[in-house]
Amino acid sequence: MAVKPARTVNAIDQTRRMLSLVTYLRERPGARIADVARAFGITEDELVADLDLLPMCGTSFRGGDLLDIDTDGERIWWHNPAALGEEAAEPLRLAADEATALLVAARAVATLPGLRESDRQALLRATAKVEAAAGEAAGASSRLSVTFESEGGVFADVDRAISERRRLWIRYYSPARDEVTEREIDPIRLVSVGHTYVEAWCRRSEARRTFRLDRVAEIRILDAPAAPPEIELRDLSEGLVQPAAEDPEVVVEVGPGGRWVAEYYPHDSADELPDGGLRITLRTPDPASLRRLALRLGRDGRIVSPPELAESARRAAVEALAAYDTAGPAGSGQ
């Protein structure tokens, strides 16, 4: 099967490209998709994805102010280019709470370690302009500050590594195995699906892996160049976890209190049980990771198959209870 080369594009790069795309299309009515994609050094599919986002942009969310851009599959048509004209644009007016939130967030982002200096300076210049425009409404923002937890620094390092095509060393906590491992990864892209993740080629497992940023205990940018193999980027519109047909099948039975499992875990089927519960059939590349789910469900659910996983979950529950009994109630002195 043919594969597309992995493209290391981050959110900042895409934003820059889309801003340039607006100017480019305004000067070239009816531009051909193939020509525009070639000019920007991207694939036609990537260009169409950008075109799907542009109609959500504009001077406001009022009718007529959003960009009316579409394509017939061959050419790109912009039906209201005057929407960005000086005569159409009204001065942006921020409420006091909006100005405060924007300025606090901007100053916090500017302190992120690993942020490219050119981006930091551009952000500070924009912040100064917003502060001047907001006037007295900006006063409250100077008395507030936000400190990012470790994920902020990790994000900046990953974003920088993607931009500079460099390898990363990480210490990563895996809740499924309850262990911290050291890995070298070639980052491919940042994705946000509920949490923020980096999709990368893991040198330890020699496979594509997705790492949640708030589970990265330590990170370093290496001098070695990132060289992930050519792999097809997954469509994550249906969610981050997308089991494959060849993944092992697991059957879980839950009571009424465990029906939420069918809402949060992709599954093949969810059959009603007489007591109001569900018999859920799902697939996962790592069945052992469901032991934690079984412990969380407690009396509200159990793993039915495969038998070895069911027995493993039962033993984990027994060991957890034994450890609790040995510790004794809090404050008992035992």
Side-chain angles (χ1 to χ4, degrees):
M1 181 175 113
V3 296
K4 295 183 292 187
R7 182 181 295 274
T8 54
V9 177
N10 57 40
I12 294 176
D13 291 334
Q14 185 182 21
T15 301
R16 288 175 177 149
R17 183 178 72 227
M18 291 180 67
L19 289 172
S20 299
L21 187 59
V22 168
T23 302
Y24 186 94
L25 294 177
R26 186 172 185 178
E27 297 174 352
R28 296 167 177 81
R32 293 181 178 275
I33 287 181
D35 294 339
V36 178
R38 190 179 307 111
F40 281 81
I42 59 178
T43 67
E44 293 185 18
D45 286 343
E46 288 173 316
L47 174 59
V48 170
D50 286 348
L51 295 177
D52 288 340
L53 289 177
L54 284 177
M56 302 179 189
C57 307
T59 55
S60 80
F61 287 102
R62 297 177 304 180
D65 288 344
L66 294 176
L67 305 185
D68 187 4
I69 296 176
D70 64 22
T71 175
D72 58 10
E74 181 180 356
R75 294 179 178 273
I76 303 168
W77 304 101
W78 187 347
H79 303 291
N80 65 339
L84 294 185
E86 294 183 2
E87 68 281 358
E90 295 181 1
L92 177 63
R93 302 190 185 280
L94 295 175
D97 57 342
E98 293 173 327
T100 298
L102 182 59
L103 289 168
V104 170
R107 292 192 187 108
V109 171
T111 65
L112 284 175
L115 188 66
R116 280 168 280 180
E117 188 58 29
S118 59
D119 292 330
R120 189 190 313 279
Q121 293 303 319
L123 180 59
L124 290 174
R125 288 193 298 270
T127 302
K129 292 178 181 179
V130 173
E131 189 169 23
E136 295 181 1
S141 69
S142 62
R143 298 189 293 273
L144 299 172
S145 64
V146 172
T147 302
F148 284 101
E149 297 298 333
S150 59
E151 181 176 331
V154 171
F155 181 97
D157 284 340
V158 173
D159 181 66
R160 178 183 168 195
I162 291 174
S163 175
E164 298 178 1
R165 299 175 183 268
R166 292 166 65 182
R167 187 170 299 172
L168 289 166
W169 172 88
I170 61 173
R171 291 181 64 242
Y172 186 75
Y173 172 67
S174 173
R177 298 178 176 82
D178 193 25
E179 65 178 1
V180 176
T181 58
E182 296 184 8
R183 304 165 183 259
E184 288 190 8
I185 63 173
D186 292 341
I188 298 172
R189 60 173 173 169
L190 285 160
V191 294
S192 181
V193 185
H195 295 276
T196 305
Y197 302 80
V198 56
E199 189 172 15
W201 184 260
C202 177
R203 293 285 163 177
R204 172 176 168 166
S205 59
E206 287 299 313
R208 171 168 48 191
R209 292 289 184 266
T210 304
F211 302 96
R212 209 169 104 177
L213 296 196
D214 61 354
R215 291 176 179 163
V216 175
E218 190 177 350
I219 185 170
R220 288 202 303 267
I221 301 177
L222 303 179
D223 291 332
E230 294 185 354
I231 55 177
E232 185 174 3
L233 296 181
R234 297 178 298 165
D235 178 8
L236 301 179
S237 60
E238 298 299 322
L240 188 69
V241 180
Q242 300 176 28
E246 63 271 16
D247 288 341
E249 182 181 272
V250 178
V251 178
V252 181
E253 288 188 353
V254 300
R259 293 178 67 95
W260 57 268
V261 173
E263 299 177 9
Y264 286 90
Y265 285 79
H267 54 275
D268 295 338
S269 63
D271 302 319
E272 294 285 345
L273 295 175
D275 64 352
L278 294 172
R279 182 183 178 89
I280 303 170
T281 302
L282 52 85
R283 296 181 183 277
T284 173
D286 184 15
S289 64
L290 294 180
R291 282 199 302 265
R292 186 176 295 270
L293 171 64
L295 292 174
R296 181 180 177 186
L297 285 168
R299 296 180 181 274
D300 285 325
R302 66 188 183 96
I303 295 174
V304 177
S305 68
E308 59 273 18
L309 179 58
E311 175 59 22
S312 174
R314 188 193 67 79
R315 286 198 307 269
V318 170
E319 291 169 2
L321 287 173
Y324 178 81
D325 290 340
T326 302
S332 66
Q334 295 183 16

